[in-house]
Amino acid sequence: MKKLAGLLSLLLMFTLVISACGTKSNSASSTENLTVKVGILKNVTHAPGFVALQNGYFQNGFGKNVKIEVTGFDNGSDFSTAMATNQIDIGFVGPGPAINQYLKSKNFRVISGSNNGGAVLIARKDAGIKSVKDLVGKTVAIPTKGSTNEISLRLLLQQEGLKVSTDTSGVQMITRAPADTLVAIRQKEVDATLIPEPWGTQMVEEGIGQVLVDWDKIPPNNGDYPLTLLLASDDFLKNHRDLAKKAIKANLDGINFIKENPTKAYDLVSAELKELSGKGMDAKLIKAALDHLKLTDEVNADAIKAMAKVSFDAGYIKGLKEDELDLSKFIDLSLLNEVKKEK
């Protein structure tokens, strides 16, 4: 009987050991052959993400078993579509296009801020524009329809009692990528632009443009509005919550590095920009961009609600009534708060 009890005890121990080994193996292999798809815009205003990628903050946080696949986007609309269709898992984008897409798909959310502000209103030097009111009858370029820059422009025009129109009775808006806008200003094809830095600074330095409204006077909230946010898909948050936290930490580390080592950051930003677009940028222009924004993980929910209202009024949000603009789950800073507490 004692022998039988002993055999049963050994068998039980053996079973527990095998079970423990299996659990350990499953845990260790949860990120085996995993590819995390990171999206980011080819804009210097995404500098914290650039630095986080260049300094290996994402890779170190995710671990050596995880492959990182970075996709650069020319505009926020393409990014948001890619996020909604699970072509990317996590990444950086402006609130305008993200809001518009979220209200359609509701399958991703904001998990951290990255920077606020960073856009300026530039008037072509010889266009006869001395104030915002002088934009009546003029053509103003924005990066894309529904972009954060368009929302800011519409708010600015509202403040001055101006309207957007397709004729000379109001302000005419056209879409141009920032690089194309620079050329259009040179060739006198557009009169003004609300554009992310450092494009505005470049126009001023070339002598073809002048600052009509500086970054810290652009609405909403006088430049202190979200321009770059860190987003994650619901699927990624559900399946890889721990990696989402690592991404948040990578973003925070990127912000802190820029604040503490601005000169070193210029080279890193230029290097990542070259990888994404094939062309780096002069340190002087990168400095101008970073000097004209506020690096922060904070997310101003009121500013985002104001942006959503502008998008709705402009007709970019369809199929909903104004009182159905529910953004209660769009911003989820619970993981950000956890990361901060763990520091």
Side-chain angles (χ1 to χ4, degrees), residues 4 14 33 49 55 63 75 87 90 97 99 103 114 120 138 146 154 173 178 196 214 232 236 246 250 301 308 311 323:
L4 180 60
F14 180 74
N33 301 317
N55 275 351
N75 61 71
Q87 296 175 55
I90 199 161
I99 290 168
L103 289 169
S114 194
V120 291
K138 304 294 186 181
R154 285 181 176 273
M173 284 197 305
D214 213 344
F236 188 72
K246 297 295 185 182
S311 286
D323 58 4

Side-chain angles (χ1 to χ4, degrees), residues 154 309-318:
R154 285 181 176 273
K309 175 67 165 59
V310 174
S311 286
F312 177 83
D313 291 343
Y316 292 126
I317 300 173
K318 302 182 184 299

Side-chain angles (χ1 to χ4, degrees), residues 194-208:
L194 203 152
I195 196 166
E197 285 284 41
W199 297 100
T201 294
Q202 187 167 347
M203 293 172 189
V204 171
E205 290 191 350
E206 283 192 20
I208 58 174

Side-chain angles (χ1 to χ4, degrees), residues 230-289:
L230 179 61
L231 271 61
S233 71
D234 286 353
D235 283 349
F236 188 72
L237 291 171
K238 178 182 177 181
N239 298 320
H240 301 290
R241 180 183 174 87
D242 55 331
L243 296 185
K245 289 175 66 174
K246 297 295 185 182
I248 290 172
K249 187 176 186 306
N251 175 51
L252 295 178
D253 288 344
I255 290 172
N256 291 331
F257 184 92
I258 296 170
K259 288 180 177 179
E260 295 168 7
N261 310 278
T263 304
K264 292 180 180 178
Y266 305 151
D267 290 336
L268 295 173
V269 170
S270 181
E272 183 62 28
L273 193 61
K274 187 173 183 179
E275 288 187 21
L276 294 172
S277 65
K279 187 178 180 181
M281 184 172 285
D282 186 87
K284 183 170 62 175
L285 290 175
I286 296 173
K287 181 181 186 302

Side-chain angles (χ1 to χ4, degrees), residues 20 50 57 83 218 243 257 262 274 298 320 325:
F50 286 6
Y57 297 151
M83 176 68 74
I218 296 290
L243 296 185
F257 184 92
K274 187 173 183 179
E298 297 174 359
L320 293 176
L325 298 177

